[in-house]
Amino acid sequence: MWCSHQLERWRGRLARERGETPPPENQDLKLARDALEHLDEAAFADDEARSPADRGSAGRALRGLPGQRLRLSLDDSTPSRSWTRNGWTRRPSRS
């Protein structure tokens, strides 16, 4: 995610250096990157990160995602770990 966002920024910079019009910023990519960058501000429940508040700067990117949440899972078919108040715990496979 960060690499894609950074590549997009570099592409814009290159266009400006060449005197060209930079391509428009992909807002979905920016929103997803911002949500990941500020994941430390999130409220966690089950396998999801949600905004800690209905308004304000904390969690703004998470509120912009579909369903206003980010599902945290490696794969639905393999065991993974999820975040709880007590830290990381393993959850069984969903076969």
Side-chain angles (χ1 to χ4, degrees):
M1 187 67 55
W2 278 277
C3 292
S4 297
H5 178 73
Q6 195 64 41
L7 182 59
E8 185 175 76
R9 290 184 60 186
W10 290 336
R11 199 175 76 189
R13 167 78 188 271
L14 180 60
R16 285 189 296 279
E17 292 292 326
R18 291 178 172 171
E20 301 168 355
T21 302
E25 184 176 49
N26 182 313
Q27 292 303 308
D28 292 335
L29 179 61
K30 181 182 183 315
L31 187 63
R33 191 217 39 114
D34 288 349
L36 289 171
E37 181 181 1
H38 296 284
L39 206 52
D40 61 323
E41 300 170 354
F44 293 94
D46 298 320
D47 292 341
E48 297 178 341
R50 294 182 171 267
S51 176
D54 292 337
R55 59 179 62 121
S57 61
R60 179 176 49 225
L62 285 166
R63 288 192 302 273
L65 294 175
Q68 298 186 1
R69 65 182 176 265
L70 179 64
R71 182 162 171 75
L72 305 172
S73 176
L74 297 175
D75 184 305
D76 281 344
S77 64
T78 60
S80 65
R81 300 181 331 160
S82 56
W83 179 257
T84 67
R85 288 178 188 243
N86 299 322
W88 288 103
T89 60
R90 291 191 71 72
R91 69 172 170 84
S93 174
R94 295 181 190 178
S95 303

